[in-house]
């Protein structure tokens, strides 16, 4: 970011902006923990396995702006980089994903700006995940600023695939030999059938327990 920051004013607004994104992550993180606790309280079940949050590094913000042909400026970064604040929600079953997505959409102070459902329509890489771009109001002493947060919701199995695929693919900088891409897609299919099996197994177990109770 060094050459992007030209004067003191920019430094100050860079700090202010990163403060906003960090605050937005805190807000959304707390909201999700409350949803999870409420779920545990009502249904005796935790849909969320874990929550990861991160703020994009200045280096990767600059890289993304360059990649998409934008001049490096704070204005462009706020406008065009949607994943500066990112939350990853890892849950147990595919059914939890849509339930969580709906619960997030129902929070009246969050605005859902966009949804990308890579579970219904996986990427050609094989990537599956449910992405929500939301904005959350951050209350400052003299103003309210709507701040964007990207929420990625996926199962443990989808996360396992995405993490390893990212590691493998990254090494090739996008130029992986065709057979590697193909095998990664095959792994994605294996991961999907694992998810389906676990979901139906869980349903069978719940039915079984219900019958025993009756
Ligand atoms: P990015 O420029 O990559 O952020 O893409 P985008 O602005 O079109 O958004 P999209 O919703 O497609 O992807 C956003 C994020 O999803 C990425 O930053 C990754 O974290 C994740 N992602 C998307 N595609 C893949 C993929 O093929 N493999 C892995 N491992 N992750 C992916
Ligand atoms: Mg991204």
């Amino acid at each position: 970011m060094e050459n992007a920051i030209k004067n003191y004013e920019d430094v100050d607004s860079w700090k202010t902006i990163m403060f906003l994104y960090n605050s937005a992550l805190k807000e959304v993180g707390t909201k999700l923990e409350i949803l999870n606790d409420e779920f545990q309280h009502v249904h005796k079940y935790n849909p969320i396995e874990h929550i990861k949050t991160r703020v994009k590094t200045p280096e990767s913000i600059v890289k993304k702006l360059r990649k998409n042909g934008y001049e490096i400026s704070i204005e462009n970064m706020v406008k065009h980089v949607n994943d500066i604040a990112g939350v990853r929600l890892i849950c147990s079953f595919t059914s939890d994903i849509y339930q969580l997505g709906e619960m997030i959409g129902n929070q009246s102070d969050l605005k859902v700006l966009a949804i990308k459902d890579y579970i219904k329509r996986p990427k050609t890489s094989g990537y599956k995940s449910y992405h929500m771009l939301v904005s959350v109001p951050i209350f400052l002493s003299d103003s309210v600023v709507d701040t964007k947060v990207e929420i990625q919701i996926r199962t443990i199995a989808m996360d396992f695939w995405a993490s390893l695929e990212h590691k493998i693919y990254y090494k090739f900088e996008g130029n992986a030999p065709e057979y590697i891409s193909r095998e990664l897609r095959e792994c994605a299919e294996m991961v999907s059938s694992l998810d389906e099996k676990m979901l139906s197994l869980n349903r069978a177990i719940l039915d079984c327990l219900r019958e025993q109770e009756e």
Side-chain angles (χ1 to χ4, degrees):
M1 204 67 202
E2 289 98 82
N3 46 11
I5 297 166
K6 293 191 189 79
N7 51 43
Y8 176 76
E9 231 176 271
D10 272 351
V11 174
D12 184 50
S13 58
W14 163 258
K15 276 196 184 149
T16 309
I17 277 160
M18 291 329 267
F19 170 78
L20 283 172
Y21 285 113
N22 276 301
S23 307
L25 270 188
K26 275 194 206 161
E27 285 273 357
V28 173
T30 305
K31 275 176 172 300
L32 294 171
E33 273 166 30
I34 292 172
L35 281 180
N36 199 32
D37 291 350
E38 188 219 29
F39 220 83
Q40 167 72 40
H41 180 67
V42 177
H43 304 284
K44 308 275 178 284
Y45 165 68
N46 278 328
I48 301 175
E49 285 285 329
H50 50 269
I51 304 176
K52 287 186 235 170
T53 58
R54 69 103 184 85
V55 173
K56 216 175 179 69
T57 60
E59 291 77 17
S60 58
I61 292 172
V62 168
K63 207 169 147 193
K64 193 157 193 175
L65 283 171
R66 284 221 179 95
K67 191 185 99 187
N68 295 325
Y70 295 112
E71 221 176 276
I72 314 301
S73 72
I74 293 200
E75 200 190 331
N76 279 342
M77 127 188 179
V78 170
K79 222 169 163 180
H80 302 292
V81 185
N82 291 329
D83 62 343
I84 295 174
V87 179
R88 202 164 274 165
L89 266 184
I90 317 295
C91 48
S92 320
F93 303 104
T94 39
S95 51
D96 296 329
I97 297 177
Y98 292 104
Q99 218 161 355
L100 282 166
E102 208 185 307
M103 284 156 86
I104 292 166
N106 285 339
Q107 302 261 313
S108 57
D109 54 345
L110 288 186
K111 257 187 240 149
V112 179
L113 305 175
I115 287 177
K116 289 185 192 168
D117 188 345
Y118 296 125
I119 295 169
K120 291 220 169 76
R121 280 171 305 277
K123 288 212 164 183
T124 44
S125 61
Y127 177 75
K128 279 190 164 189
S129 201
Y130 188 80
H131 293 187
M132 298 179 86
L133 180 63
V134 302
S135 76
V136 58
I138 302 298
F139 291 83
L140 303 175
S141 56
D142 58 351
S143 59
V144 182
V145 187
D146 280 334
T147 308
K148 289 187 274 192
V149 177
E150 183 188 80
I151 307 176
Q152 300 182 343
I153 318 177
R154 47 171 85 146
T155 62
I156 311 170
M158 291 171 191
D159 190 52
F160 163 77
W161 183 92
S163 302
L164 297 190
E165 188 262 2
H166 180 72
K167 261 188 202 158
I168 296 167
Y169 221 77
Y170 207 75
K171 294 192 184 121
F172 290 105
E173 293 175 328
N175 297 311
E178 172 50 31
Y179 82 95
I180 290 187
S181 310
R182 195 177 56 239
E183 296 210 353
L184 281 169
R185 275 196 296 276
E186 278 171 29
C187 289
E189 277 162 29
M190 288 155 101
V191 154
S192 297
S193 59
L194 196 57
D195 263 336
E196 276 166 33
K197 275 220 169 97
M198 286 297 188
L199 179 64
S200 58
L201 197 55
N202 185 53
R203 287 195 170 136
I205 289 167
L206 291 177
D207 285 347
C208 218
L209 291 173
R210 221 170 283 130
E211 271 170 30
Q212 280 177 8
E213 264 174 29
E214 283 165 11

